[in-house]
Amino acid sequence: MHTYWVRLNAVFFYGLNVLLGLSCCAWVSCLQQDLDFHSDLPRPVVDTVRVNELLSLRAHGGVDRALLSFDVQADLTPAFHWNLKQLFVFVLAEYQTPKNELNQVILWDRIVETEEQAKLDERNIYVKYALIDQANELRNTSINYYLVWDHMPVTGRLFMDKGFGSKKILPKEYF
Amino acid sequence: MGKGGMDYKGQKLSEQIYLVLIPAVGSVAWVFGYLAQDFKTTFYGWLAGLVLAMLICVPDWPIFNRNPTPWLEEIPSARKQTVVDDDDEDDAPAKATKAKKKKGGKS
C-alpha cells in the first residue's frame, strides 16, 4: 500500500472479486426460476413444431437428405430473467435408424437476445441445414421434431430445455 | 512526486476505505439491478464504486499523510564523538587486534 501501483492493483483486483460475488448472488437469485422447484412461475411453452411441406427426399452419394419447411410457434419469454444473456434456440429432428439408436439433426437455429424476440411465430420457414442422415435410412422413418433452447446466462451454468413439437413419418420412396 | 508514499496510518485508512466502499456501492447496485431485472445496472453501479474507490484510495491525498513517521532526534554528543573518534584512533587499533588474533589462530 506504499506506492500508487500497489494501491491501484489492490483496489482493482479486490473490485473484481466483489464483482464475482455480485454475479454469484445474481445466479443464486435466479435458481428457482431456472430449476423450477416449488414455484408457480410460468414455464416456456412450445405450441407447434411441425413440418409444413416436405420439399424433397433424395440420396446424395449414398447419404439420404431431406429438405423441408416447417412452422414454429413457441413462447420462451418465461425463460428470461436478469441473469440470462441470450437463448440459443434450435429445431431438432430426432429419430432412430437401424444404424444408430439415436440421431439428432439440427435443422434451424436462432439467437434470441431479448424477451420481445422470444415469442416465436414462424410459418413455412425453410430449413437452414438439411436433414441429412449418416447413412441412407431416412425413408419410412418416424421423426420427432423438438424445439430446444440453450440458456446462456451472464453467470452460471449453460443448460438446455426442450419441448416436443410433432412426429411425422417420412415417405417410403425418394421424390 | 515520488511513488506516492503515504504514512503508515494513511495506508491503513486507504485500505479500510476501499474494503468497505466497493462492496457497499456494489450491494446497492445489485439491489437496483435486481429490481430493474437488468444486470447491466448492477455492473455499471459496481464500476462507479470501483472508480470512486480508485479516485479516493490511489492518489496520495493529504488526509493520508497526517501522521508522518517522526525521525529520531539528533543526539549532539554522539555526533561530537564520531567527529573526534574518527578512524585514526579507535578503529585502527581494533582492526590491528583482530588481525593479530586471526594470525594467532593460524599459528
Side-chain angles (χ1 to χ4, degrees):
Chain A
M1 295 298 292
H2 57 292
T3 66
Y4 297 123
W5 300 115
V6 173
R7 287 196 294 273
L8 193 64
N9 182 70
V11 173
F12 182 70
F13 285 100
Y14 177 69
L16 282 186
N17 279 303
V18 171
L19 182 62
L20 175 66
L22 297 175
S23 305
C24 290
C25 290
W27 168 68
V28 170
S29 77
C30 296
L31 272 184
Q32 191 179 26
Q33 192 173 340
D34 281 351
L35 300 178
D36 192 31
F37 56 83
H38 308 303
S39 83
D40 306 321
L41 296 168
R43 306 301 300 165
V45 180
V46 176
D47 288 324
T48 318
V49 187
R50 65 162 177 243
V51 177
N52 185 301
E53 189 184 359
L54 187 67
L55 299 162
S56 78
L57 173 61
R58 286 179 192 151
H60 291 265
V63 172
D64 279 1
R65 174 185 299 188
L67 291 174
L68 46 94
S69 73
F70 57 92
D71 301 333
V72 173
Q73 271 103 40
D75 183 7
L76 303 179
T77 45
F80 268 84
H81 50 60
W82 74 314
N83 194 35
L84 191 84
K85 179 175 157 46
Q86 61 189 26
L87 290 174
F88 181 72
V89 184
F90 54 93
V91 170
L92 186 72
E94 241 180 49
Y95 57 97
Q96 191 179 356
T97 55
K99 183 174 177 163
N100 298 318
E101 191 139 314
L102 178 66
N103 297 274
Q104 291 181 307
V105 182
I106 294 178
L107 303 179
W108 176 87
D109 59 30
R110 172 177 284 174
I111 294 168
V112 174
E113 290 181 302
T114 62
E115 263 183 85
E116 290 73 46
Q117 297 170 356
K119 277 187 180 157
L120 299 175
D121 185 10
E122 307 289 337
R123 285 162 209 274
N124 202 21
I125 46 172
Y126 193 65
V127 289
K128 275 190 181 177
Y129 320 105
L131 172 49
I132 302 174
D133 189 37
Q134 203 180 1
N136 57 348
E137 299 170 336
L138 275 187
R139 284 166 296 168
N140 200 23
T141 302
S142 170
I143 299 190
N144 291 318
Y145 295 93
Y146 292 93
L147 190 69
V148 187
W149 53 101
D150 195 359
H151 301 73
M152 304 173 117
V154 178
T155 312
R157 76 200 168 98
L158 290 159
F159 63 102
M160 291 192 195
D161 223 336
K162 82 180 183 183
F164 177 71
S166 61
K167 184 177 191 172
K168 196 167 185 188
I169 300 174
L170 286 171
K172 290 179 181 172
E173 298 300 326
Y174 294 127
F175 76 100
Chain B
M1 269 302 286
K3 295 175 180 174
M6 298 171 174
D7 64 50
Y8 291 122
K9 286 190 177 173
Q11 290 179 29
K12 190 178 180 186
L13 179 65
S14 163
E15 184 157 354
Q16 282 171 337
I17 288 174
Y18 81 71
L19 283 179
V20 172
L21 185 68
I22 299 177
V25 176
S27 306
V28 173
W30 193 93
V31 171
F32 273 90
Y34 182 76
L35 294 176
Q37 284 291 295
D38 179 21
F39 195 79
K40 272 184 187 169
T41 307
T42 300
F43 177 78
Y44 287 122
W46 165 84
L47 194 65
L50 184 74
V51 170
L52 186 65
M54 281 180 172
L55 288 177
I56 292 174
C57 298
V58 174
D60 190 17
W61 296 115
I63 196 176
F64 300 124
N65 286 296
R66 289 189 304 195
N67 301 287
T69 312
W71 289 93
L72 284 177
E73 282 184 33
E74 190 181 17
I75 307 167
S77 57
R79 192 175 177 185
K80 272 178 192 171
Q81 275 184 343
T82 43
V83 172
V84 176
D85 301 342
D86 229 341
D87 293 358
D88 311 314
E89 291 181 27
D90 273 343
D91 286 7
K95 279 176 189 170
T97 46
K98 276 181 191 170
K100 276 177 190 171
K101 275 178 187 172
K102 277 180 188 171
K103 277 176 188 172
K106 274 181 186 174
S107 60

